[in-house]
Amino acid sequence: AQTVTQSQPEMSVQEAETVTLSCTYDTSESDYYLFWYKQPPSRQMILVIRQEAYKQQNATENRFSVNFQKAAKSFSLKISDSQLGDAAMYFCALKLYAGNNRKLIWGLGTSLAVNP
Amino acid sequence: SQTIHQWPATLVQPVGSPLSLECTVEGTSNPNLYWYRQAAGRGLQLLFYSVGIGQISSEVPQNLSASRPQDRQFILSSKKLLLSDSGFYLCAWSWTSILETQYFGPGTRLLVL
């Protein structure tokens, strides 16, 4: 069975600084996708970044980047130059490539506070 | 561009009453559609997904059902609500491709009293 673990229930960062959110996962499959979603207080789930497991290059979207370590099954999210609007719950998710499995396997989330 | 709508935004219902939540997607055709529930302080639980009109897969047996009467419409229903049905319900869509990144609607807050 696939699992996704976010070991940091809560984190905080000072505005303009950098923070890294951790995510580890477990799967026996070799082809899969990984995602980070952000859920602000409005509770709408917003895609932050995604990574295809077959790509060695880490994905980057503006101030957001990932450190994907396939062998270690680690997928951390780095937020640079943190802004007040980055305060939210952040969820890591895994989707297998193969078959008809439509499920995203979700972590329980990390609550990020941004201090002014 | 694609947009996804959910309504109502908030709903308070008595135990035993029926439920109908609606989700519609604009700007795409034949999307995959998903219903999730998120309990307070918890992650997301996939309830149903659909790959086409009339095609519904249930992930968790429970008091809820889903229907897809039109290509871009997905409805979550219950004949009799339970207290445990309270939560935040999110609808999502994705392209019918292998990647299938899911894009979420604004959600519905349901409180069953």
Side-chain angles (χ1 to χ4, degrees):
Chain A
Q2 293 75 38
T3 59
V4 174
T5 302
Q6 294 178 249
S7 59
Q8 306 150 315
E10 297 179 349
M11 291 195 71
S12 64
V13 63
Q14 290 297 123
E15 195 175 4
E17 295 190 347
T18 295
V19 63
T20 298
L21 308 184
S22 299
C23 173
T24 59
Y25 60 93
D26 189 26
T27 178
S28 58
E29 301 291 333
S30 58
D31 293 324
Y32 49 87
Y33 301 90
L34 292 160
F35 304 86
W36 277 100
Y37 282 88
K38 168 186 175 181
Q39 189 177 38
S42 68
R43 298 194 73 178
Q44 181 162 6
M45 199 70 75
I46 302 167
L47 176 68
V48 175
I49 200 166
R50 65 186 176 212
Q51 174 82 41
E52 290 89 339
Y54 65 86
K55 290 187 177 179
Q56 293 184 341
Q57 186 173 7
N58 289 324
T60 299
E61 287 287 343
N62 301 314
R63 298 183 295 106
F64 298 87
S65 61
V66 298
N67 183 5
F68 173 48
Q69 302 290 329
K70 191 172 184 180
K73 296 182 180 176
S74 171
F75 183 61
S76 60
L77 175 69
K78 185 173 82 172
I79 306 174
S80 304
D81 186 26
S82 296
Q83 300 175 359
L84 295 178
D86 295 333
M89 282 289 289
Y90 286 82
F91 291 93
C92 179
L94 163 72
K95 184 190 179 302
L96 301 183
Y97 181 95
N100 294 320
N101 191 338
R102 297 296 193 267
K103 290 178 85 168
L104 279 174
I105 311 301
W106 295 83
L108 293 182
T110 296
S111 178
L112 177 66
V114 180
N115 303 314
Chain B
S1 65
Q2 298 77 35
T3 55
I4 179 168
H5 304 280
Q6 285 186 247
W7 62 89
T10 304
L11 191 60
V12 181
Q13 291 285 91
V15 169
S17 64
L19 173 74
S20 181
L21 303 181
E22 189 166 344
C23 170
T24 59
V25 181
E26 296 177 354
T28 184
S29 60
N30 195 32
N32 291 337
L33 296 172
Y34 310 82
W35 277 113
Y36 287 89
R37 177 168 58 200
Q38 184 180 30
R42 301 293 298 274
L44 273 69
Q45 179 187 36
L46 179 64
L47 302 175
F48 302 94
Y49 69 85
S50 171
V51 299
I53 295 175
Q55 300 179 64
I56 310 293
S57 296
S58 173
E59 288 294 313
V60 181
Q62 55 199 326
N63 186 41
L64 302 170
S65 62
S67 62
R68 185 169 177 174
Q70 300 180 38
D71 181 44
R72 291 170 290 175
Q73 184 184 32
F74 204 23
I75 297 172
L76 183 69
S77 303
S78 174
K79 292 182 179 179
K80 288 186 178 182
L81 283 169
L82 307 172
L83 288 174
S84 58
D85 291 325
S86 292
F88 189 63
Y89 289 82
L90 285 159
C91 180
W93 75 273
S94 71
W95 299 108
T96 54
S97 66
I98 293 297
L99 176 56
E100 295 185 10
T101 298
Q102 294 181 19
Y103 300 95
F104 287 80
T108 295
R109 291 173 176 78
L110 173 65
L111 179 60
V112 182
L113 300 175

